[in-house]
Amino acid sequence: MKSAFSDFIFGKKGIYGILHLIILVMSLFLVISISVDTFKGIPFYTQSSYMKTQLWICLWFLFDFVLEFFLSKHKGRYLRTHFIFLLVAIPYQNIIAYYGWTFSPEVTYLLRFIPLLRGGYALAIVVGWLTYNRASSLFVSYLTMLLATVYFSSLAFFVLEHKVNPLVNGYGDALWWAFMDVTTVGSNIIAVTTTGRVLSVLLAALGMMMFPIFTVYITNLIQQSNKRKKQYYEAEEQQKKTSVQKASAAEKPAVQDVQG
């Protein structure tokens, strides 16, 4: 027997719901793999099993892009708005390994996050489906992407900084830096690597874009609440007037009978 969730996804969203769920599951696998390798200090750039897994996941992303392109009614518009997903679905690490190009371990580590951009979009869509209105869907989608970006940035910052930055002694320090940076409050941890500084700027910019959306969402909730209260009191007042009118209409025949 299908659950309400499966009915919602497969019934209302059709093949797009199935594709995005598969992309989401694959992306979560990549997130777990990256996290485990980071915390255990495993030399991920030498693992052939991960390279094969990422290749198949990227190929699936490419298949999803091509399929949605052919299913789209406005192919030109789809290509313009989704071209970035074609770029992030390319298996760059496998291409680099095939041609024998060499980069630093840190750059190779950052390349692993590229396919997750596609998964982050799928996650935001799936989460947005489960919200009750358009404003909540937009807010939850942005919040999901914000938290995902903070987490990935903290992982990358930890790998880049913990060997050269005395202020980063563990992953907790990197996570603290990421949350403080995205709130634009700042922390006592200052990036010393070029990539770490770039991440600092990007997180701060993301925070400045995100928090106005949060303000708009809260304002919208307050306005909706006030509107519901107003409608409730108006309905209650109308009900009272109706009751008074009915009572007056019932009294008139009684008065006429007495006079007769």
Side-chain angles (χ1 to χ4, degrees):
M1 185 176 181
K2 292 184 178 180
S3 64
F5 178 79
S6 63
D7 288 339
F8 178 79
I9 295 298
F10 298 107
K12 293 187 177 181
K13 301 303 176 181
I15 190 170
Y16 293 103
I18 298 172
L19 290 174
H20 284 120
L21 282 178
I22 295 175
I23 290 174
L24 179 58
V25 171
M26 290 182 172
S27 302
L28 290 176
F29 175 80
L30 288 179
V31 171
I32 294 172
S33 177
I34 292 174
S35 302
V36 170
D37 291 355
T38 300
F39 298 144
K40 291 186 176 181
I42 299 174
F44 45 82
Y45 43 86
T46 61
Q47 293 186 47
S48 59
S49 59
Y50 176 82
M51 297 292 286
K52 292 179 181 178
T53 302
Q54 182 187 248
L55 174 61
W56 284 108
I57 290 177
C58 287
L59 290 177
W60 173 262
F61 288 173
L62 289 173
F63 168 75
D64 169 71
F65 178 85
V66 173
L67 181 59
E68 290 192 14
F69 173 75
F70 281 108
L71 292 176
S72 175
K73 295 181 180 179
H74 307 284
K75 292 181 172 53
R77 180 181 177 184
Y78 179 86
L79 191 61
R80 289 193 305 269
T81 56
H82 293 75
F83 183 71
I84 183 65
F85 300 133
L86 174 62
L87 296 180
V88 300
I90 298 174
Y92 294 103
Q93 281 192 311
N94 299 89
I95 295 174
I96 292 171
Y98 178 80
Y99 285 102
W101 298 334
T102 56
F103 295 95
S104 65
E106 289 78 11
V107 173
T108 308
Y109 179 81
L110 292 177
L111 288 175
R112 300 182 72 189
F113 288 95
I114 293 178
L116 293 179
L117 296 176
R118 185 69 178 91
Y121 177 73
L123 177 62
I125 288 178
V126 172
V127 172
W129 286 343
L130 304 179
T131 52
Y132 58 90
N133 60 36
R134 186 174 180 180
S136 296
S137 175
L138 178 64
F139 174 73
V140 173
S141 298
Y142 272 104
L143 183 61
T144 302
M145 295 181 71
L146 176 68
L147 294 177
T149 303
V150 168
Y151 178 66
F152 298 146
S153 298
S154 66
L155 287 177
F157 189 80
F158 172 68
V159 170
L160 296 168
E161 298 277 337
H162 81 281
K163 294 181 180 178
V164 296
N165 193 336
L167 297 176
V168 183
N169 298 316
Y171 174 70
D173 295 328
L175 188 61
W176 167 258
W177 162 84
F179 272 108
M180 289 297 100
D181 205 55
V182 79
T183 58
T184 68
V185 175
S187 67
N188 62 322
I189 300 175
I190 301 175
V192 297
T193 63
T194 302
T195 307
R197 292 171 181 171
V198 171
L199 288 175
S200 299
V201 174
L202 292 177
L203 275 182
L206 182 64
M208 287 188 291
M209 291 186 293
M210 178 61 198
F211 286 105
I213 296 175
F214 177 78
T215 303
V216 171
Y217 176 71
I218 296 300
T219 303
N220 180 66
L221 287 182
I222 295 174
Q223 290 177 345
Q224 288 182 351
S225 177
N226 292 335
K227 185 178 180 180
R228 286 193 296 269
K229 288 181 180 179
K230 183 178 179 181
Q231 291 175 345
Y232 172 78
Y233 289 127
E234 287 178 350
E236 198 173 55
E237 186 67 24
Q238 184 64 32
Q239 187 176 4
K240 289 180 179 179
K241 289 181 180 179
T242 303
S243 299
V244 171
Q245 291 174 354
K246 288 181 178 180
S248 300
E251 289 176 358
K252 287 182 180 180
V255 172
Q256 292 176 355
D257 290 342
V258 171
Q259 292 176 349

